[in-house]
Amino acid sequence: MKKKNIWMNVNGEWHDLTVTLQDRLIDTLRDQIGLTGTKEGCGEGECGACTINLNGKAVLACLMLSVQADGAQVTTIEGLQNGTDLHPLQTAFLTESAVQCGYCTPGMIMAGHALIKQNPDPDKTTVKTCLANNLCRCTGYEQPVKAVLKAAGEMRRKIK
Amino acid sequence: MTDSYTAVGKSFQRIDGIDKVTGAAKYATDLRFENMLYAGLLRSPHAHAKVTCINTSAAEKLPGVKAVATIFDVPKVVQYWFFLRTEKKKEQMFLHDNIVRFIGDPVLAIAATSKEMLKKALSLVTVEYELLKSIQDPHTALTETKVNIHKKGNIAFKVNKEFGNVHEGFKAADIIVENTYHTSKQKHASLEPIGTCVASFQSNGKLTVYSSTQLPHWSQHYLAMALGLSLNKVRVIKPFTGGAFGGRCGVIHGLEVMCSYLSRQTLQPVKMSFTREEDFSATESRHPMTIRMKTGATKEGMITANKVEILSDTGGYGTHYIGVIADCMSTGIGLYNIPNYSFSGTVVYTNKSPCGALRGYGNPQMNFAQESQIDIIARKIGMDPMALKLKNYRREGEMDPVLNELILSNGLKECLEKGARSCGWEEKRLRQAGNDLIKKGIGLSIMLHGTGAARALPDPGSATIMINSDGTANLHTAAADEGQGNRTVLAQIASEILGIEFDNISVSETDTDITPLDCGTHGSRQAYCGGLSVRNAAMDARQKMLNHAQKYLKVEANQLIIKNGHIIEKSNPDNNISIKDLMQKIQIQDMGVCEQVIGSASGIAPAMPGYYGAVFAEVEVNTQTGRVKVIKLTSAYDVGKAINPDMVRGQIVGGGVMGIGFALTEGLQLKDGHILNPNFTDYRILRSCDIPEIEPIIVESNEPTGPFGAKGIGEGSMVNVASAISNAICHATGVRLTELSITPEQILQSIKNSR
């Protein structure tokens, strides 16, 4: 199988990786780098559990080849907290009871993360539309939507 | 009273929350071990066939292939916990012979050094089948005598019960309503696909299995049986689990046995993870049912008789088919005091993917039929459906004839009253809202669901609590947490009784080597059954602490109380000792004692209390497209006591959304045994943009047998949603739908037929 060397900055650290042309980004993240916070729920781009940020945008790691991420800046759920300080999104998901089984949570948070970066003051409809890419079977979505709105408010306050 | 609690009734954050929001939580799919092999299944492309020959020689020649297990050589004893007592019914389980009974039935498993090698190896296997006639239609299964899906025939189970005399009941009725209802093959669709496990057999003869199961101890039991191992040599660890809803309550589809067998062959860890397509097409689903119901009532609104005939389709195999049909009966009869009730249920095998436990466990199907019938009667006699329900529901203090148990708590009236007030039921019900194109309606449905399975199954629960020398505690329980938050709720109960702060109580992972016997997480049982075990273990530890304190405080234990981490003399609060100081003394400082306080409890719950709920659904129906939009659900549930209100609300809202799916969008579609929608594009669960406002209302009726008055919630929250929506559609449009899921096509057709 043909292999290729790629560079990827994952959560602030550069990784020198050897991948095959078929390797999916999700497998490289999980199996090679060991970042299993990014989850696979369907492998077909339907459930959003593998949502990560790539150059600041929310992408599905199961639909992307690792070679496509050559040179990219990748942020996964493991890259959000600062030491033991949680990111406002992580805190809001806890305080708003937006987490149940937790399997969709990393994808939801990363979708919210990219959204707030593009739109620091999203309204409820915008958040609902954004999270529509992320399936959740436990919570019924109400709490995750509230959590993203709350985190956005928190982040705006911090910037001020 | 409530105000005096320090931990119970408080919405503490879940104890595993930080692990889940940081990505640190390890699910079975995340586990990797040194020398781990990847295993996968070759599945039958035929709905019904005899496997005559399996040729694996080409696959076995591949360098990375380490072990092969065909259905001819995997262990045959795969039993379910219902049958652990009886040693019967072995023939109905997976992998037991050379017949495949649905498209997707496993034929063999291969373990290889990489996923790529595994894929290649599976493609090199050839299987010869002798095709058998397949039965797809449950009605055909009932009458077909030449084709037998299982040796004993196509009828898996039959039950007939009559309470009172329905013949007399119908004679006393002024109106009789008779309809046939159909329900869909709903899927759990938990976000982590069902079926992930890693088995590791060591050369010392010990098997360790990491499995995302709901029933870790029963997994341990049947693995021991299948592999001929003693229980102390089988260790089942349940890592974090990505949702379950009953889907991990089956035999995990032979997966654990297959992985363990392959690991024993190789002495290497073996991992298998089902894909989403395998989850949809080859794991258990909700039993589709045909329910014929004849209901009689007087014009004053007394329901005099109900006659129920159910045909339930369990697919190619059965794990929960008896429990599910029994639950149809107990929830149907238990909810209303209908003096004459006959119930007949038949479960058949068909050559389709198997059915099992799914949130509600027969109740959502039964509830859809029965609550539709009650709604029709209300319309016919011109009575408010809420008034009709209030007139006929089975009250606190009455007997439940199926469980043969007194109803000790029933907050249904309060659910109805609070829900009605909050959603404006009376006003909305009277008004025919909307216009010719968009019609608005509101519908109501109520439900009863049992907590735990104390009257039906071996249903043990246990807990151990160890008090540490610094006054903190470790709670060991196998009350598997699938995401509901059991572990948090149980820590709250322990905290309340021990007087030890919530944050100072750690709860173990579920591990059969460490955590004492628990029958697992099913039947909305963990706040109640798990809660009782933890309460009793905590009371045991508490008494031991008080006994030790006597020596240092110089008063009898019965004069002592525990408050805020201190043991205090009731009449003289100045005479006290902190738990920490006491534990230091008895564990370390007092050489004559050197004892750790350990509390334990084990046993079955004293009852199977019902919990109740009322859902008010508001809908808009587009009469030109047939599209139904749910505007709002007002969902009031009597949970006895909400140990953690936020988590109870989480169950109500989440169950509500799953219920809307059951009503309007979900269900596996089959053609000749092929599942046509084994993915999230074609099998539509609701997305965030689809959800209406859901208002959860908690009612607390204080169940006397429950820990702090608690009973269940997990399953019930989805049970009566579909029926409420269907009743709302009828209120809006006048048409009655009798088939789930309710599609725009059905609505348009019904509107057309009604004109």
Side-chain angles (χ1 to χ4, degrees):
Chain A
M1 229 175 290
K2 207 175 166 193
K3 295 201 173 176
K4 191 172 187 273
N5 291 327
I6 59 167
W7 278 86
M8 216 191 296
N9 186 310
V10 184
N11 301 331
E13 212 174 291
W14 283 98
H15 291 261
D16 186 359
L17 302 158
T18 306
V19 297
T20 73
L21 298 184
Q22 286 85 7
D23 283 353
R24 303 179 306 166
L25 181 54
I26 187 171
D27 297 323
T28 301
L29 290 171
R30 286 171 54 86
D31 298 345
Q32 270 206 57
I33 307 178
L35 295 172
T36 55
T38 303
K39 303 299 180 206
E40 179 161 355
C42 68
E44 296 179 345
E46 295 166 332
C47 77
C50 66
T51 306
I52 57 160
N53 288 178
L54 187 119
N55 298 330
K57 292 209 168 104
V59 301
L60 300 172
C62 81
L63 287 190
M64 195 157 185
L65 296 173
S66 302
V67 289
Q68 291 176 291
D70 194 3
Q73 298 273 347
V74 172
T75 310
T76 70
I77 188 71
E78 291 92 342
L80 286 196
Q81 79 215 74
N82 186 0
T84 55
D85 290 343
L86 297 181
H87 186 277
L89 269 160
Q90 293 171 314
T91 306
F93 267 69
L94 290 178
T95 55
E96 291 301 308
S97 297
V99 180
Q100 286 191 30
C101 85
Y103 202 79
C104 74
T105 306
M108 287 247 184
I109 290 178
M110 296 316 294
H113 190 249
L115 171 72
I116 294 170
K117 188 162 191 162
Q118 283 164 8
N119 178 0
D121 191 7
D123 61 13
K124 192 171 178 182
T125 310
T126 309
V127 173
K128 270 184 141 183
T129 308
C130 165
L131 292 188
N133 297 317
N134 296 75
L135 289 177
C136 169
R137 194 56 157 169
C138 302
T139 65
Y141 304 104
E142 186 68 27
Q143 303 310 322
V145 169
K146 275 189 191 159
V148 172
L149 285 167
K150 189 177 176 187
E154 195 61 37
M155 287 162 76
R156 285 196 305 277
R157 257 192 303 283
K158 275 194 179 170
I159 291 165
K160 279 175 196 164
Chain B
M1 185 69 190
T2 309
D3 291 337
S4 65
Y5 291 145
T6 54
V8 163
K10 310 267 186 272
S11 289
F12 287 125
Q13 282 174 30
R14 57 182 59 240
I15 56 173
D16 52 12
I18 290 177
D19 287 341
K20 287 175 175 175
V21 298
T22 57
K26 294 277 184 207
Y27 297 73
T29 40
D30 300 330
L31 300 176
R32 293 171 80 220
F33 297 94
E34 214 173 315
N35 291 323
M36 190 174 83
L37 301 174
Y38 296 87
L41 298 173
L42 187 71
R43 296 175 177 280
S44 166
H46 305 296
H48 197 193
K50 188 180 193 172
V51 180
T52 53
C53 177
I54 303 174
N55 190 339
T56 58
S57 54
E60 283 178 89
K61 277 185 198 131
L62 286 179
V65 171
K66 295 290 179 183
V68 175
T70 73
I71 53 170
F72 298 120
D73 35 55
V74 285
K76 303 292 186 285
V77 190
V78 182
Q79 292 189 68
Y80 192 55
W81 109 86
F82 285 9
F83 313 128
L84 285 171
R85 302 182 283 187
T86 61
E87 285 289 321
K88 284 182 195 161
K89 313 277 185 355
K90 288 180 193 176
E91 79 278 7
Q92 293 162 45
M93 309 307 295
F94 289 74
L95 309 170
H96 76 267
D97 57 14
N98 60 347
I99 307 287
V100 284
R101 295 178 173 82
F102 69 96
I103 294 172
D105 207 352
V107 176
L108 95 165
I110 291 178
T113 48
S114 70
K115 292 179 199 169
E116 294 73 31
M117 195 56 72
L118 169 66
K119 210 169 156 187
K120 197 167 175 193
L122 286 170
S123 74
L124 292 174
V125 175
T126 53
V127 182
E128 285 169 31
Y129 297 93
E130 182 188 315
L131 297 191
L132 303 169
K133 192 180 167 212
S134 95
I135 301 176
Q136 294 299 317
D137 178 39
H139 296 91
T140 311
L142 211 50
T143 52
E144 172 68 64
T145 51
K146 288 194 188 115
V147 182
N148 285 330
I149 295 172
H150 286 274
K151 278 196 194 91
K152 67 170 197 174
N154 301 323
I155 296 176
F157 184 68
K158 267 189 156 180
V159 57
N160 282 298
K161 286 252 184 195
E162 183 162 354
F163 301 84
N165 183 326
V166 283
H167 184 68
E168 293 298 319
F170 286 122
K171 273 209 274 186
D174 296 316
I175 59 149
I176 290 174
V177 173
E178 197 166 0
N179 283 299
T180 303
Y181 299 87
H182 301 275
T183 62
S184 65
K185 196 170 167 67
Q186 192 186 24
K187 205 57 201 96
H188 312 81
S190 53
L191 259 282
E192 183 189 26
I194 291 170
T196 300
C197 123
V198 187
S200 178
F201 199 93
Q202 282 117 32
S203 42
N204 62 10
K206 181 132 185 173
L207 171 69
T208 302
V209 175
Y210 300 82
S211 175
S212 53
T213 169
Q214 285 174 254
L215 316 169
H217 277 100
W218 295 151
S219 286
Q220 177 201 23
H221 278 71
Y222 78 71
L223 279 167
M225 252 188 261
L227 296 157
L229 298 169
S230 55
L231 285 169
N232 65 323
K233 295 286 188 190
V234 181
R235 178 182 190 184
V236 175
I237 298 171
K238 188 202 81 75
F240 281 92
T241 303
F245 313 109
R248 305 180 200 275
C249 226
V251 293
I252 317 294
H253 313 90
L255 169 93
E256 291 161 336
V257 174
M258 288 265 205
C259 282
S260 302
Y261 179 81
L262 291 167
S263 181
R264 185 156 73 177
Q265 305 300 101
T266 55
L267 292 181
Q268 283 176 262
V270 174
K271 178 177 181 176
M272 203 188 300
S273 297
F274 288 178
T275 62
R276 179 56 60 185
E277 186 175 345
E278 285 178 295
D279 170 299
F280 268 120
S281 55
T283 70
E284 292 170 329
S285 57
R286 191 183 293 291
H287 292 75
M289 292 185 186
T290 301
I291 306 176
R292 188 156 183 78
M293 208 175 276
K294 182 178 168 184
T295 314
T298 66
K299 52 184 187 302
E300 291 79 27
M302 291 310 296
I303 304 166
T304 57
N306 199 23
K307 186 177 178 212
V308 184
E309 289 168 341
I310 299 184
L311 180 61
S312 175
D313 178 358
T314 188
Y317 298 88
T319 48
H320 288 261
Y321 56 93
I322 298 173
V324 164
I325 200 95
D327 220 35
C328 291
M329 177 167 72
S330 63
T331 55
I333 297 173
L335 182 56
Y336 290 103
N337 194 346
I338 303 174
N340 307 293
Y341 205 114
S342 85
F343 183 95
S344 109
T346 307
V347 188
V348 291
Y349 295 113
T350 56
N351 293 113
K352 290 188 283 210
S353 67
C355 297
L358 205 178
R359 197 179 206 167
Y361 207 71
N363 198 353
Q365 298 97 308
M366 180 68 184
N367 185 277
F368 171 60
Q370 191 164 293
E371 284 298 276
S372 296
Q373 291 285 99
I374 304 285
D375 204 62
I376 297 168
I377 288 171
R379 281 177 86 87
K380 289 213 166 175
I381 62 173
M383 196 171 184
D384 179 329
M386 182 165 142
L388 182 61
K389 289 173 204 297
L390 281 169
K391 202 162 187 167
N392 289 279
Y393 83 99
R394 208 178 277 282
R395 290 156 174 76
E396 195 175 298
E398 291 184 45
M399 278 301 276
D400 182 315
V402 179
L403 300 177
N404 204 22
E405 222 170 61
L406 263 183
I407 299 168
L408 299 177
S409 64
N410 183 345
L412 188 55
K413 188 162 181 268
E414 195 182 333
C415 291
L416 281 164
E417 287 168 353
K418 282 194 168 157
R421 208 175 311 133
S422 187
C423 72
W425 164 258
E426 272 184 37
E427 189 210 329
K428 284 177 181 160
R429 189 72 192 180
L430 287 174
R431 190 163 41 110
Q432 209 62 47
N435 51 43
D436 279 352
L437 178 63
I438 307 284
K439 294 198 179 291
K440 292 184 179 186
I442 184 166
L444 164 65
S445 170
I446 59 174
M447 77 99 218
L448 145 77
H449 201 77
T451 308
R455 292 287 171 273
L457 294 171
D459 210 45
S462 317
T464 308
I465 295 172
M466 305 182 302
I467 315 291
N468 301 313
S469 62
D470 60 357
T472 63
N474 286 64
L475 167 61
H476 286 194
T477 162
D481 193 336
E482 317 294 332
Q484 313 89 320
N486 314 337
R487 291 167 73 216
T488 308
V489 163
L490 297 179
Q492 287 179 247
I493 290 173
S495 166
E496 191 65 53
I497 287 170
L498 295 168
I500 294 173
E501 258 184 73
F502 173 75
D503 287 340
N504 285 337
I505 296 181
S506 292
V507 187
S508 66
E509 308 285 332
T510 299
D511 176 343
T512 59
D513 256 13
I514 295 163
T515 47
L517 179 67
D518 188 282
C519 70
T521 297
H522 63 87
S524 313
R525 73 184 285 281
Q526 289 302 9
Y528 177 76
C529 303
L532 284 172
S533 301
V534 170
R535 182 195 71 181
N536 294 343
M539 281 166 66
D540 185 30
R542 185 178 189 277
Q543 191 58 49
K544 285 175 177 161
M545 289 198 287
L546 296 182
N547 292 347
H548 282 293
Q550 295 179 114
K551 181 175 159 187
Y552 303 100
L553 298 180
K554 312 272 188 268
V555 276
E556 294 283 312
N558 61 15
Q559 297 304 308
L560 298 173
I561 55 167
I562 301 187
K563 211 176 166 184
N564 299 333
H566 285 73
I567 298 168
I568 301 166
E569 184 183 352
K570 267 188 258 181
S571 56
N572 176 20
D574 289 343
N575 183 24
N576 68 69
I577 183 169
S578 71
I579 293 175
K580 181 181 171 182
D581 287 348
L582 179 67
M583 294 303 111
Q584 283 274 331
K585 282 188 195 302
I586 65 165
Q587 278 190 35
I588 300 161
Q589 292 164 355
D590 194 337
M591 295 284 281
V593 185
C594 283
E595 180 186 320
Q596 178 173 36
V597 168
I598 300 174
S600 67
S602 185
I604 192 158
M608 192 179 158
Y611 61 101
Y612 299 83
V615 169
F616 298 80
E618 294 167 57
V619 302
E620 286 179 2
V621 184
N622 184 318
T623 56
Q624 257 172 32
T625 62
R627 190 165 173 263
V628 175
K629 193 173 175 197
V630 180
I631 304 300
K632 188 183 173 189
L633 295 184
T634 306
S635 306
Y637 285 88
D638 160 28
V639 300
K641 168 77 190 169
I643 307 284
N644 185 315
D646 263 7
M647 284 183 190
V648 171
R649 283 189 280 270
Q651 288 300 307
I652 296 176
V653 175
V657 171
M658 194 185 259
I660 298 171
F662 183 51
L664 299 176
T665 66
E666 295 185 35
L668 292 170
Q669 310 283 328
L670 280 93
K671 190 166 192 289
D672 304 327
H674 288 276
I675 288 173
L676 304 175
N677 53 346
N679 55 64
F680 282 127
T681 299
D682 299 315
Y683 185 103
R684 274 224 325 117
I685 72 170
L686 265 60
R687 292 178 180 268
S688 58
C689 51
D690 302 321
I691 55 156
E693 180 190 352
I694 299 180
E695 185 189 345
I697 297 173
I698 296 173
V699 168
E700 297 182 321
S701 65
N702 190 22
E703 165 61 32
T705 65
F708 298 95
K711 38 189 186 177
I713 179 62
E715 296 184 88
S717 57
M718 77 85 61
V719 164
N720 49 335
V721 177
S723 45
I725 290 171
S726 182
N727 291 344
I729 293 170
C730 187
H731 181 239
T733 62
V735 302
R736 172 64 55 184
L737 282 308
T738 55
E739 187 176 343
L740 295 180
S741 57
I742 297 166
T743 60
E745 291 84 350
Q746 280 178 43
I747 289 184
L748 287 182
Q749 192 60 47
S750 301
I751 291 173
K752 201 172 143 195
N753 293 348
S754 71
R755 277 177 187 149

